[in-house]
C-alpha cells in the first residue's frame, strides 16, 4: 500500500516575494524551488502568501489615480487585496509551473483561488486599526486622505503619517470547498493570499471590509479546514528564539504548546512579526493530535520537514 501523502499548508512571508515588481519576479523563482522540493518529498501542498508591500503599492497607485482624475472614485482596500492576490498569484503560478516542468512534473496544474475570508463585524480590531500599510505622508497629506478617502492615519515613530487599517481574525474561508476540490484532484493551489479578501456577511451579500487579515492566522484556519498534517510558516529566520536579539538569546528546535504560551506571556515574540506566527502555530498544533507546525527559513523548508532544522511546534 502506498503511504498517505503528507498534507501541508505553507505560509510565505515577505522575503519570499520581495518589495518591487522586479524583486518579486526574481524571488518567486527561489520560492518555487523550495515549494517543488516539498512536492518531490511526496507532500500535498497548498500555498498562502502575505501581501504587505504589494497591497501598499496597489493602494498608493489607486489613490494616485483618484488624485489625477476626479471621476475615479477611491478604490476600497478589499479590492486592493483582491488585486494583490491576482498579481502575486500570477507570478507564483507562473514560476511554480516552470519549476515543475524543469523537474519533469507535467501533470500537476497550478491554480490561484481568489479567496474571500469572512470576518466578524463585531471584531474588536475594527475599533482599533493598528496595521500600517503603504507610504509615509505629511500631516497635510494625512488630513486630506482622512477627509477624502475615509482613511485612519497615525503618526509612526517620528517618521511621518501612515494609513493604519484593522486586522480582524479570519472566521470563515468562503471558497474552502473549491480549494479542497482542487487539492483533492491533485492540483497545486495558491489560496488565501494576503490573508484573504476581508468580507462581512450582510444577508446574502458579502461586503468588502476595510482591513487586512494576517496571513499567519488565515493559513492556520486553512490548514485546520483542510485537515493538514503540517502548517509551515516560511520567514526570514531559521528558528524562533527566546530572548531574541539579547545576549541570552536561545534558538529553539522544539517547542510544546504550554511552553509556547508561557513564552508568549513573557513577551518573547514581537507583535506584528513573530507573535502571530507562534500564536498561529500553537493554535494549529492544539487543534488535533498529530498536527505539527514548523517555522523556518524559506530555503530550509525541505530540511525542516525532514526534521533537521527549524522550530517544530507540537502539542
Ligand atoms: P514575514 O514577512 O515572514 O511575516 P516578519 O518580519 O513579519 O516576517 O516576521 C519575522 C521576523 O520576526 C524575523 O525576521 C525576526 O526579525 C522577527 N522576530 C521577532 N521576534 C522574534 C523571535 N523571538 N524569534 C525569531 N524572530 C523574531
Ligand atoms: Mg509578518
Amino acid at each position: 500500500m502506498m503511504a498517505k501523502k503528507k498534507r501541508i499548508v505553507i505560509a510565505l512571508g515577505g522575503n519570499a516575494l520581495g518589495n518591487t515588481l522586479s524583486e518579486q519576479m526574481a524571488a518567486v523563482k527561489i520560492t518555487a524551488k523550495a515549494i517543488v522540493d516539498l512536492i518531490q518529498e511526496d507532500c500535498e501542498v497548498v500555498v498562502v502568501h502575505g501581501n504587505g508591500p504589494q497591497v501598499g503599492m496597489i493602494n498608493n497607485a489607486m489613490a494616485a489615480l483618484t488624485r489625477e482624475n476626479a471621476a475615479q472614485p477611491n478604490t476600497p482596500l478589499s479590492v486592493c487585496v483582491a488585486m494583490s492576490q491576482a498579481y502575486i498569484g500570477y507570478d507564483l503560478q507562473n514560476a511554480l509551473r516552470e519549476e515543475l516542468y524543469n523537474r519533469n512534473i507535467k501533470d500537476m496544474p497550478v491554480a490561484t483561488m481568489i479567496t474571500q475570508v469572512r470576518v466578524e463585524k463585531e471584531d474588536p480590531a475594527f475599533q482599533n486599526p493598528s496595521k500600517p500599510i503603504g507610504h509615509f505622508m505629511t500631516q497635510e497629506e494625512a488630513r486630506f486622505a482622512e477627509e477624502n478617502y475615509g482613511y485612519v492615519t497615525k503618526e509612526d515613530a517620528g517618521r511621518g503619517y501612515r494609513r493604519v487599517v484593522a486586522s480582524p481574525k479570519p472566521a470563515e474561508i468562503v471558497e474552502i470547498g473549491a480549494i479542497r476540490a482542487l487539492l483533492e484532484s491533485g492540483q497545486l493551489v495558491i489560496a488565501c493570499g494576503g490573508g484573504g479578501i476581508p468580507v462581512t456577511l450582510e444577508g446574502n451579500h458579502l461586503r468588502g471590509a476595510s482591513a487586512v487579515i494576517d496571513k499567519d492566522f488565515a493559513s492556520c484556519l486553512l490548514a485546520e479546514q483542510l485537515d493538514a498534517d503540517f502548517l509551515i510558516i516560511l520567514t526570514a529566520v531559521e528558528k524562533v528564539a527566546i530572548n531574541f536579539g539579547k545576549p541570552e538569546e536561545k534558538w529553539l528546535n522544539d517547542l510544546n504548546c504550554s511552553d509556547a504560551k508561557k513564552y508568549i506571556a513573557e513577551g518573547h515574540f514581537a507583535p506584528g512579526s513573530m507573535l502571530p506566527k507562534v500564536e498561529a502555530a500553537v493554535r494549529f498544533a492544539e487543534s488535533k493530535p498529530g498536527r505539527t507546525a514548523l517555522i523556518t527559513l524559506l530555503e530550509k523548508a525541505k530540511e525542516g520537514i525532514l526534521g533537521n532544522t527549524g522550530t517544530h511546534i507540537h502539542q
Side-chain angles (χ1 to χ4, degrees):
M1 203 185 87
M2 233 169 69
K4 190 178 166 288
K5 287 193 173 195
K6 286 219 177 338
R7 185 170 284 187
I8 301 182
V9 171
I10 302 180
L12 300 173
N15 64 329
L17 298 171
N19 290 303
T20 64
L21 272 92
S22 51
E23 277 180 25
Q24 180 168 305
M25 191 70 93
V28 290
K29 292 193 196 302
I30 297 164
T31 302
K33 288 196 170 71
I35 293 169
V36 178
D37 279 350
L38 297 181
I39 291 167
Q40 289 195 312
E41 288 301 316
D42 220 19
C43 300
E44 281 181 345
V45 173
V46 178
V47 180
V48 177
H49 58 79
N51 73 346
Q54 295 82 1
V55 78
M57 179 175 84
I58 292 166
N59 180 63
N60 291 345
M62 300 314 286
L65 175 71
T66 306
R67 280 197 300 276
E68 280 169 17
N69 179 355
Q72 292 282 358
N74 196 47
T75 306
L77 190 56
S78 50
V79 176
C80 295
V81 175
M83 290 174 168
S84 79
Q85 284 188 352
Y87 157 51
I88 297 167
Y90 161 51
D91 269 359
L92 271 176
Q93 71 190 20
N94 190 317
L96 283 165
R97 178 185 171 280
E98 183 174 333
E99 188 61 27
L100 287 164
Y101 270 68
N102 286 349
R103 301 195 202 183
N104 229 9
I105 304 171
K106 295 187 173 160
D107 58 352
M108 183 174 282
V110 188
T112 300
M113 178 62 60
I114 297 299
T115 317
Q116 304 175 88
V117 171
R118 189 174 62 74
V119 298
E120 304 290 355
K121 238 181 283 183
E122 297 74 27
D123 192 306
F126 282 112
Q127 305 312 313
N128 179 31
S130 58
K131 193 177 176 65
I133 63 160
H135 64 311
F136 286 94
M137 294 177 275
T138 65
Q139 192 173 17
E140 296 78 69
E141 288 167 337
R143 194 170 298 148
F144 182 88
E146 294 209 346
E147 282 164 10
N148 291 279
Y149 309 151
Y151 287 9
V152 179
T153 65
K154 272 193 189 143
E155 215 277 327
D156 189 344
R159 296 176 296 178
Y161 290 76
R162 276 180 99 187
R163 180 175 189 192
V164 286
V165 300
S167 193
K169 291 283 185 299
E172 180 192 352
I173 297 164
V174 179
E175 287 78 16
I176 186 69
I179 296 165
R180 190 179 288 121
L182 287 171
L183 174 65
E184 286 179 353
S185 70
Q187 307 208 27
L188 176 48
V189 192
I190 301 156
C192 295
I197 304 162
V199 294
T200 57
L201 186 61
E202 291 181 7
N204 286 332
H205 178 61
L206 293 170
R207 182 190 169 95
S210 191
V212 173
I213 300 167
D214 197 301
K215 66 108 178 38
D216 298 315
F217 293 126
S219 54
C220 171
L221 180 60
L222 182 61
E224 283 178 48
Q225 302 247 301
L226 293 175
D227 198 18
D229 303 293
F230 277 99
L231 170 63
I232 307 189
I233 301 179
L234 298 179
T235 186
V237 283
E238 186 164 344
K239 292 177 188 178
V240 178
I242 49 172
N243 300 309
F244 178 67
K246 298 185 187 147
E248 328 81 275
E249 180 176 77
K250 186 179 163 215
W251 299 99
L252 306 171
N253 299 320
D254 213 69
L255 183 57
N256 66 51
C257 290
S258 64
D259 284 348
K261 286 178 187 167
K262 192 182 81 182
Y263 296 148
I264 288 171
E266 290 170 0
H268 286 282
F269 313 121
S273 61
M274 191 47 76
L275 181 61
K277 297 183 203 316
V278 177
E279 285 178 341
V282 168
R283 193 190 149 135
F284 178 70
E286 279 189 330
S287 63
K288 198 172 166 185
R291 290 181 177 171
T292 306
L294 166 67
I295 299 175
T296 193
L297 268 180
L298 175 68
E299 296 80 0
K300 302 276 177 165
K302 181 177 157 186
E303 284 307 301
I305 199 83
L306 295 173
N308 299 333
T309 191
T311 303
H312 294 251
I313 298 105
H314 50 83
Q315 262 184 358

